[in-house]
Amino acid sequence: MMQIGDTEKAAELMLRYERNVPQSFEVQFRAQSDWRFWETAAFYFGGVGGGLYVVSQILQLQIGLIVGYVLVVVLKNGAHLLSASKPSRALRAFANPKSSWVSRGSYFLFLFTVFAALNIACQFELIEVGDVIEHSASILAFLSACLIMIYIGFVMGQSRAIPLWYTPTLPVMLLTYSLAMGGGAGFLHQLVIGIEQRFIFLGWWLLITDGLTLLLAVISVYMVSISSPAARISVQQLTKGKLGVLFVGGALIAGLLIPMILTGYGLIEKDFSSSLCFLVGILTLLGGFMFEFALLRAGVHNTAVNVDCGTVVRF
Amino acid sequence: MACKTHNGTPPGVFFRRVLEKISGKFPEIKRTYVPTQCMQCEDPPCVKCCPAGAFSKREGGIVLVDNDKCYGARVCRVACPYDAISFLEDIPTYYPDQMTLAEQLWHKNYQRGTVAKCTFCNDRLQDGLLPACVQTCPTDALKFGDLNDPKSAVSKLIKTRRGYQLHPEYGTNSSVYYLS
């Protein structure tokens, strides 16, 4: 119990009070701070894993199927569990598929876990099932991998107060970047196996998906930059400062543009050296992480109260 | 104060905040105080996007959250356009060595790692009382009533004083109106 005149205690209480009271009660834009590293990691592993699985299924890359499966089922789910503050209740994520995209995503993950496992088991001839079941598992695993890549865009789009995320291009952009990352991971996979025909396919795959993503990113950033004030703050964050270096330098230039140039060179010369493949793969994968990270960090909530000219803007 | 006292919210958690809005340009500066809280939306984004189904709408339109169902995904906080949901990362007390009587009484309602929000003092409503903020406001600036009844005092006030909602463009159709 505190005694009158106990100055040390009073000072401690004052410090405690100042730490706990929010810095400001002004109407202001609020930077999204709820989803951080583990959410980024979960979204990223879903993108790379789903992309690699799709590429591997098209190119019949058996190791790629397993790596893609592990990325999605172990790492993505693991990151989701680490991001939840009550992981023991995580099964409740299945409770609201009628309206929640996170819940729908949990079902997509479940479908992928089951059908991709069945598909891999069939590919490695671990089990004998009929042709119909084998083909159905293969198609359903492919579809659920695509859904895993795209649903994150809808999860982010459910937040209407964050204009950077509330765009129709976001789900498509996340899908194309995931497919590009799948192509990048495919290049790394091919370093080990090395079949010439597949390099050509992967080269075209990366060129198209990278090009589409770059185009969508430029269109999205431009569209957002001419909309609401919160959106303009997001664009400022994405194009300037540390986050700008990550998004423009890391995600767009190093992750998309340079791999496009390198693959274009490889396709023209019809020569995919190991160093070129390694560079393309690594740059695409690193760029993808920076892309997801920057998108999540640049999310800015509109003010809770309708804003007009002269409102204090503070983070 | 009435809100904090009645709900015993931990330090840093405010179900009801009075925001300071500064607008205009010098020398025509205008300062307005805007109380904000959970808007008890007709079409609440938190109910829609919560994967755990922890949010529900009570009869009468009040949005409630079930702490036992929440697993801390914080999708509701990201989706709420009114910044009305608090995430209880920790449940500290105001004094280091002891819990106040209100804390002893109310902290059992909160769970670390889950979310909490204004429920228009649902417990008081069930006892036939007004929400603590409405009951306590010394200037009678807050009114509480049935929006569905066109003859109720609140419906009449909204009509005569040109009541407006915050961010109607989000389509949430909030149940909290501000009078012009």
Side-chain angles (χ1 to χ4, degrees), chain A residues 261-280:
Chain A
I261 294 167
L262 291 175
T263 353
Y265 171 80
L267 283 170
I268 292 166
E269 294 290 317
K270 292 199 170 132
D271 176 33
F272 285 91
S273 63
S274 327
S275 52
L276 186 137
C277 289
F278 181 76
L279 208 58
V280 166

Side-chain angles (χ1 to χ4, degrees), chain A residues 8 14-15 41 57 80 82 94 126 132 140 142 154 156 173 184 211 220 246-247 253 288 310:
Chain A
E8 272 183 33
M14 186 58 78
L15 267 176
Q57 215 172 354
H80 275 308
L82 286 168
F94 290 94
L126 297 175
V132 178
L140 288 168
F142 187 91
F154 293 106
M156 292 164 81
M173 196 163 61
S220 303
L246 278 185
F247 185 72
I253 297 175

Side-chain angles (χ1 to χ4, degrees), chain A residues 1-2 9 12-13 16-17 20-22 24-28 30 32-35 39 80 82-103 106 155-156 158-163 165 301-312, chain B residues 11-14 16-25 34 36 39 45-54 66-75 77-84 87 92-98 111-114 164-171 178:
Chain A
M1 187 69 78
M2 195 171 79
K9 202 86 168 172
E12 188 194 323
L13 279 178
R16 207 174 153 81
Y17 173 79
N20 287 319
V21 169
S24 170
F25 273 77
E26 284 159 351
V27 172
Q28 57 187 287
R30 179 168 58 100
Q32 183 285 121
S33 59
D34 289 288
W35 290 346
E39 285 80 4
H80 275 308
L82 286 168
S83 74
S85 53
K86 296 260 182 206
S88 57
R89 296 179 187 169
L91 281 178
R92 286 214 60 88
F94 290 94
N96 189 16
K98 264 197 285 184
S99 60
S100 165
W101 273 102
V102 173
S103 207
S106 306
V155 168
M156 292 164 81
Q158 274 198 315
S159 181
R160 286 199 64 175
I162 302 180
W165 298 353
H301 283 267
N302 217 336
T303 53
V305 175
N306 304 39
V307 69
D308 60 358
C309 178
T311 297
V312 176
Chain B
V13 175
F14 298 87
R16 185 174 177 78
R17 291 173 303 149
V18 181
L19 299 180
E20 188 183 333
K21 185 182 177 187
I22 302 166
S23 52
K25 281 183 184 162
V34 191
T36 61
M39 300 287 158
C46 52
V47 175
K48 261 191 198 169
C49 71
C50 176
D66 184 345
N67 280 329
D68 292 331
K69 290 181 179 173
C70 176
Y71 73 93
R74 281 160 286 170
V75 195
R77 264 185 58 76
V78 175
C80 177
Y82 306 106
D83 191 14
F87 179 65
T93 53
Y94 272 96
Y95 299 94
D97 307 329
Q98 63 199 2
Q111 282 183 37
R112 185 175 299 175
T114 64
Y164 63 91
Q165 300 160 310
L166 294 183
H167 290 298
E169 72 276 15
Y170 294 148
Y178 293 78

Side-chain angles (χ1 to χ4, degrees), chain A residues 123 127 129 154 264 312 315:
Chain A
Q123 293 279 324
I127 52 167
V129 286
F154 293 106
V312 176
F315 288 97

Side-chain angles (χ1 to χ4, degrees), chain B residues 4-15:
Chain B
K4 283 212 74 90
T5 311
H6 179 73
N7 293 300
T9 48
V13 175
F14 298 87
F15 288 170

Side-chain angles (χ1 to χ4, degrees), chain A residues 40-109:
Chain A
T40 311
F43 295 175
Y44 174 71
F45 288 132
V48 185
L52 180 59
Y53 192 88
V54 165
V55 169
S56 303
Q57 215 172 354
I58 294 169
L59 288 178
Q60 305 278 306
L61 311 174
Q62 289 189 324
I63 306 293
L65 287 178
I66 295 174
V67 175
Y69 185 81
V70 170
L71 282 169
V72 173
V73 176
V74 180
L75 296 183
K76 180 178 167 66
N77 281 333
H80 275 308
L81 284 177
L82 286 168
S83 74
S85 53
K86 296 260 182 206
S88 57
R89 296 179 187 169
L91 281 178
R92 286 214 60 88
F94 290 94
N96 189 16
K98 264 197 285 184
S99 60
S100 165
W101 273 102
V102 173
S103 207
R104 287 170 193 165
S106 306
Y107 280 93
F108 301 152
L109 278 166

